[in-house]
């Protein structure tokens, strides 16, 4: 409903939440590095772990029982094959291929909700992002305690596309990263939210539009963690990520 963000944020344990990892796309800007042989989500961050592995492991370690990977035609074959070779980690994980029919977080999740039932909150992560030292259990507790419809994970140490600015009343607003100032936080791809807000904003379109519209609503909060976040959009982002991990 326009102008009002409706949600049903009752207390439920984190085990009732659904973990969603976005891992679609063509990874066009990464092809100089991947040579088209794999999606960027499967780039290694250690000898045994990929970016996607890290996201799935974080959700499982937090106690989530239901995890869904949202893939696309370009990433699905690679990710399914990777999951088969890493059965212990990916056991019980579900897959949803949106076939390139939607663009943006709101339409994609709205499409998913036609085929899945959600009994609790949604914890969403980006499969091409590493959020070092982000405690999903603490973020979820903060989200429930404050009664937010959506909670963003933010940090000062990041390479974000978007920034969260606090206005004079302390309310968060989402702006382009080029507008950052001393009172801004880098917006990561980690969110906790009530699935009802997706139904109310399924026509938001692109992720940028979705973030802009949500940030105007009153029931929006943020969780500031003391770690770094790197979203791998370019080869340089990946180089910087490996540099951070080796510090």
């Amino acid at each position: 409903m326009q102008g009002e963000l409706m949600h049903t944020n009752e207390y439920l344990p984190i085990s009732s939440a659904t973990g969603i990892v976005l891992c679609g796309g063509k990874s066009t800007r990464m092809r100089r590095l991947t040579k088209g042989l794999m999606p960027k989500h499967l780039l290694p961050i250690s000898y045994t772990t990929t970016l996607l592995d890290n996201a799935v492991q974080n959700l499982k370690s937090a106690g989530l029982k239901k995890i869904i990977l949202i893939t696309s035609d370009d990433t699905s074959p690679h990710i399914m094959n990777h999951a088969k070779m890493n059965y212990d980690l990916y056991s019980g994980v579900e897959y949803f291929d949106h076939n390139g029919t939607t663009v943006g977080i709101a339409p994609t999740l709205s499409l998913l909700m036609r085929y899945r039932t959600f009994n609790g909150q949604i914890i969403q992560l980006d499969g091409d992002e590493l959020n070092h030292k982000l405690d999903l259990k603490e973020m979820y507790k903060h989200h429930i305690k404050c009664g937010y419809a959506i909670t963003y994970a933010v940090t000062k140490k990041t390479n974000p596309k978007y920034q969260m600015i606090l206005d004079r009343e302390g309310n968060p607003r989402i702006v382009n990263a080029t507008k950052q100032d001393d009172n801004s936080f880098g917006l990561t791809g980690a969110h906790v939210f009530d699935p009802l807000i997706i139904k109310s904003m399924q026509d938001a379109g692109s992720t940028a539009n979705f973030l802009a519209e949500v940030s105007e609503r009153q029931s929006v909060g943020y969780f500031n963690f003391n770690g770094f976040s790197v979203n791998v959009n370019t080869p340089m982002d990946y180089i910087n990520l490996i540099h951070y991990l080796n510090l």
Side-chain angles (χ1 to χ4, degrees):
M1 182 166 60
Q2 191 66 28
E4 180 181 356
L5 189 57
M6 300 179 63
H7 64 104
T8 56
N9 203 355
E10 58 183 289
Y11 174 76
L12 290 170
I14 194 171
S15 59
S16 69
T18 298
I20 291 179
V21 184
L22 303 181
C23 42
K26 296 181 180 296
S27 303
T28 304
R29 286 175 290 180
M30 294 297 297
R31 289 191 176 178
R32 284 186 297 166
L33 188 63
T34 65
K35 308 300 182 183
L37 298 176
M38 69 176 76
K40 59 183 178 178
H41 315 84
L42 298 182
L43 286 169
I45 56 175
S46 73
Y47 289 112
T48 59
T49 305
T50 67
L51 280 165
L52 182 59
D53 294 342
N54 181 74
V56 172
Q57 184 59 62
N58 285 347
L59 290 168
K60 286 196 168 187
S61 296
L64 277 75
K65 307 298 183 184
K66 185 176 182 179
I67 300 172
I68 303 173
L69 305 186
I70 298 183
T71 61
S72 63
D73 289 344
D74 296 284
T75 64
S76 182
H78 300 280
I79 289 174
M80 294 291 287
N81 186 57
H82 178 76
K84 289 178 182 178
M85 294 189 294
N86 296 272
Y87 176 80
D88 289 344
L89 177 60
Y90 288 86
S91 176
V93 171
E94 302 176 33
Y95 303 88
F96 181 79
D97 188 344
H98 66 73
N99 296 317
T101 57
T102 60
V103 178
I105 180 175
T108 300
L109 294 181
S110 180
L111 179 65
L112 172 64
M113 290 174 68
R114 298 180 190 176
Y115 304 96
R116 299 289 194 278
T117 300
F118 300 99
N119 298 318
Q121 304 292 298
I122 291 175
I123 301 178
Q124 181 246 305
L125 302 177
D126 284 350
D128 58 355
E129 180 177 83
L130 188 141
N131 295 311
H132 187 57
K133 294 185 179 180
L134 173 59
D135 189 326
L136 293 179
K137 287 184 179 179
E138 291 301 315
M139 183 177 175
Y140 182 82
K141 288 179 183 177
H142 178 73
H143 172 76
I144 295 296
K145 179 181 178 181
C146 296
Y148 296 134
I150 183 167
T151 299
Y152 299 103
V154 300
T155 179
K156 291 286 188 179
K157 305 172 186 177
T158 183
N159 66 331
K161 295 180 182 178
Y162 308 102
Q163 290 280 348
M164 174 170 283
I165 306 293
L166 302 183
D167 63 23
R168 293 180 180 179
E169 288 74 37
N171 298 315
R173 292 188 299 108
I174 308 301
V175 299
N176 191 284
T178 58
K179 300 179 181 179
Q180 71 180 93
D181 59 25
D182 293 337
N183 197 34
S184 67
F185 299 89
L187 188 70
T188 75
H191 315 90
V192 184
F193 57 87
D194 190 299
L196 283 183
I197 74 167
I198 295 298
K199 290 184 178 180
S200 69
M201 301 186 66
Q202 58 186 319
D203 297 324
S206 68
T207 298
N209 288 341
F210 172 75
L211 294 175
E213 288 192 31
V214 170
S215 67
E216 294 177 357
R217 313 296 179 91
Q218 294 302 310
S219 191
V220 175
Y222 62 96
F223 179 78
N224 184 19
F225 67 99
N226 186 28
F228 68 81
S229 174
V230 176
N231 187 283
V232 179
N233 294 303
T234 67
M236 184 56 65
D237 292 334
Y238 182 63
I239 292 171
N240 288 336
L241 172 59
I242 299 303
H243 172 70
Y244 278 131
L245 291 173
N246 289 330
L247 289 178

